[in-house]
Amino acid sequence: MMKLKYFEQADFHKLIGWIDNPELLLQWGGPNFQFPLDESQLHRYLEGANVKGAATYVYSVLNKESTEVVGHISLGKVDYAHQSARVGKVLVGDKEIRGQGIGQTMMEEILKIAFNELHLHRVSLGVFDFNHSAISCYEKAGFKKEGLLRDARKYKDEYWSLWEMSILRPEWESKNEVPLFK
């Protein structure tokens, strides 16, 4: 089982170690970070985050049994007036444990925070169209594709397209509904 805890400076080196090439940095962090990822960029990333009423909440993902940090996820662009936010910076860090459902658990936990704690109505995300495993993970969590942003990012000599996806509170509630009687 996994749990989320606020990302802090003690977690910086682990994340920096996972982001070992510019392509992965663009996939993980979008255009907001420059390779190589370093502590100063992560300090800026955390400015104003993880406090009541913040626009950004940044988490490390812990294995509950070993308490080892195994991933990273954030909930940003929190708009309390319009009850929306955006999932981002999703990463299962250790390549050896990818494909074991950790991403799915991370999404379930971040959506609990979004809908149960922050009382949001809509959560969105962007994912590159070639990242089929992530798209599948997000669809299993209940996200729906809204549209394709064609050639949205440039990496070296190629352009990458980006799927916009979202889940609404009623969709999440119906997916996670526990029947009263069996």
Side-chain angles (χ1 to χ4, degrees), residues 104 111 137-144 165-168 171-172 175:
Q104 191 70 44
L111 291 174
C137 173
Y138 303 148
E139 288 176 333
K140 286 178 189 169
F143 283 81
K144 298 188 181 340
M165 300 179 79
S166 72
I167 184 170
L168 304 177
E171 296 165 342
W172 181 78
K175 183 181 181 314

Side-chain angles (χ1 to χ4, degrees), residues 6 24 46 55 84 88 100 112 115 126 131:
Y6 286 143
L24 179 58
L46 282 180
S84 65
Q100 297 179 17
K112 285 179 191 174
F115 293 123
N131 194 342

Side-chain angles (χ1 to χ4, degrees), residues 47 68 71 97 154 166:
E47 284 176 6
E68 179 185 0
I97 61 172
K154 184 176 183 190
S166 72

Side-chain angles (χ1 to χ4, degrees), residues 104-122:
Q104 191 70 44
T105 303
M106 291 166 56
M107 294 308 297
E108 290 167 7
E109 293 301 313
I110 202 78
L111 291 174
K112 285 179 191 174
I113 291 167
F115 293 123
N116 290 341
E117 295 178 24
L118 299 177
H119 308 289
L120 301 179
H121 175 72
R122 180 179 193 278

Side-chain angles (χ1 to χ4, degrees), residues 2-160:
M2 302 294 140
K3 77 173 190 172
L4 303 184
K5 76 164 186 81
Y6 286 143
F7 180 67
E8 53 194 31
Q9 187 169 348
D11 304 321
F12 284 10
H13 286 289
K14 189 133 200 167
L15 181 60
I16 289 168
W18 290 333
I19 309 290
D20 59 1
N21 65 70
E23 183 176 358
L24 179 58
L25 181 63
L26 181 58
Q27 288 181 49
W28 171 77
N32 298 323
F33 296 93
Q34 300 299 315
F35 190 79
L37 185 62
D38 60 31
E39 288 193 22
S40 66
Q41 293 179 77
L42 294 175
H43 279 292
R44 282 193 302 278
Y45 173 44
L46 282 180
E47 284 176 6
N50 300 342
V51 295
K52 186 175 172 118
T56 304
Y57 296 90
V58 183
Y59 300 94
S60 288
V61 181
L62 296 178
N63 177 319
K64 276 187 181 178
E65 294 164 7
S66 70
T67 67
E68 179 185 0
V69 175
V70 297
H72 185 91
I73 194 167
S74 71
L75 191 63
K77 298 187 179 181
V78 179
D79 182 334
Y80 296 96
H82 298 283
Q83 298 178 307
S84 65
R86 191 162 178 83
V87 172
K89 317 293 185 291
V90 180
L91 179 67
V92 176
D94 184 346
K95 294 173 186 168
E96 299 298 315
I97 61 172
R98 291 181 186 162
Q100 297 179 17
I102 294 169
Q104 191 70 44
T105 303
M106 291 166 56
M107 294 308 297
E108 290 167 7
E109 293 301 313
I110 202 78
L111 291 174
K112 285 179 191 174
I113 291 167
F115 293 123
N116 290 341
E117 295 178 24
L118 299 177
H119 308 289
L120 301 179
H121 175 72
R122 180 179 193 278
V123 177
S124 64
L125 58 80
V127 59
F128 290 110
D129 66 343
F130 55 80
N131 194 342
H132 302 290
S133 60
I135 293 167
S136 175
C137 173
Y138 303 148
E139 288 176 333
K140 286 178 189 169
F143 283 81
K144 298 188 181 340
K145 289 179 179 172
E146 294 184 326
L148 184 68
L149 301 177
R150 298 176 307 142
D151 293 353
R153 298 284 182 269
K154 184 176 183 190
Y155 178 73
K156 294 187 178 178
D157 292 331
E158 62 184 31
Y159 290 93
W160 296 351

